[in-house]
Amino acid sequence: ADGKPDFTGVYDFAGLRNPNPPALKAGAEKFRIVRAAERINGNTTITNGSDCNPLGIPQSFITPYPFQIIHTTKQLVMLFEYPNTFRIIPTDGRPHSEDPDPTFMGEGVAHWDGDTLVVDSIGFNDKTWLDPGGHVHSDQMHTIERFTRLTENQLKYEFVIDDPVMYSKPWGWDYVLVGHHDWEIIEYVCNENNKDIDHLVNGTK
């Protein structure tokens, strides 16, 4: 209705490149601790998401589970099948809150750069990973995400992470989100019938 691309649909990701960010001492040490704690008892792997908390950004897009975008002229709503979480991002050009409460998904606000939607997010806690490899961040992280429609069934997703506590300079990468018109996301209750909850270790992230 506003003449901009409509990103509404159900998507999954189409591959992943492993990053190699330039970590500061604090980032390198936390990454070492995370990797050391990933495997316990020989076979049990502890990863971000093992405790069923939200995966955060950008790792929420880097899972084998789909997510849904509901796009209106005033906001972008993202519904993530795993682990059953969401983002609500206003697209009316408003600024960030002066002091947002730290959350898993952060506080995002969006604006248009031509036909690309730019999502600017702050207000993260430090409890998530940036990728399945265990790269971490602080509560000072600031992210910029860019969504651009390539074809009817493809979105280009780009992001940049700026975290002066953990990394010596901003870094990021991009990949393609693939749309599926005949897919629906379903209910995912992460802890239902979880047989391995006793093996989870607190503080490994």
Side-chain angles (χ1 to χ4, degrees):
D2 60 357
K4 296 297 184 181
D6 183 357
F7 299 139
T8 297
V10 176
Y11 300 88
D12 69 351
F13 79 104
L16 172 67
R17 297 190 302 273
N18 291 322
N20 187 25
L24 295 172
K25 184 177 180 180
E29 176 62 15
K30 191 171 181 181
F31 179 69
R32 184 192 67 78
I33 293 171
V34 164
R35 294 304 296 267
E38 275 187 305
R39 189 163 295 277
I40 61 173
N41 297 334
N43 295 313
T44 302
T45 301
I46 304 301
T47 64
N48 183 46
S50 295
D51 53 9
C52 297
N53 283 324
L55 297 178
I57 301 301
Q59 196 184 173
S60 289
F61 300 101
I62 312 170
T63 75
Y65 299 90
F67 69 96
Q68 183 171 354
I69 294 177
I70 301 172
H71 192 184
T72 73
T73 57
K74 294 183 178 181
Q75 62 185 11
L76 194 76
V77 178
M78 296 183 178
L79 308 174
F80 297 94
E81 183 174 289
Y82 177 85
N84 195 20
T85 191
F86 64 91
R87 299 171 79 187
I88 300 177
I89 302 167
T91 60
D92 56 7
R94 73 182 66 180
H96 285 294
S97 304
E98 289 189 6
D99 186 21
D101 291 331
T103 61
F104 286 90
M105 306 300 281
E107 179 191 83
V109 295
H111 66 273
W112 288 100
D113 179 10
D115 284 339
T116 295
L117 187 66
V118 181
V119 179
D120 184 317
S121 298
I122 60 173
F124 295 96
N125 62 33
D126 63 353
K127 299 178 181 179
T128 66
W129 297 357
L130 299 173
D131 58 21
H135 290 99
V136 293
H137 64 88
S138 74
D139 60 5
Q140 299 302 303
M141 181 173 72
H142 176 196
T143 67
I144 298 292
E145 302 163 276
R146 297 174 63 90
F147 296 84
T148 307
R149 181 166 294 287
L150 299 177
T151 69
E152 182 181 358
N153 296 319
Q154 292 183 320
L155 296 183
K156 184 178 182 181
Y157 174 62
E158 308 167 85
F159 70 90
V160 173
I161 294 161
D162 186 4
D163 186 341
V165 177
M166 293 294 181
Y167 302 103
S168 62
K169 62 182 180 180
W171 62 278
W173 71 90
D174 62 80
Y175 54 94
V176 175
L177 304 172
V178 179
H180 300 274
H181 296 300
D182 57 342
W183 285 19
E184 295 181 0
I185 60 173
I186 62 175
E187 181 179 74
Y188 189 109
V189 182
C190 187
N191 261 331
E192 184 178 29
N193 202 32
N194 190 340
K195 303 297 186 182
D196 204 38
I197 195 70
D198 292 340
H199 293 113
L200 298 183
V201 177
N202 291 327
T204 59
K205 295 192 292 295

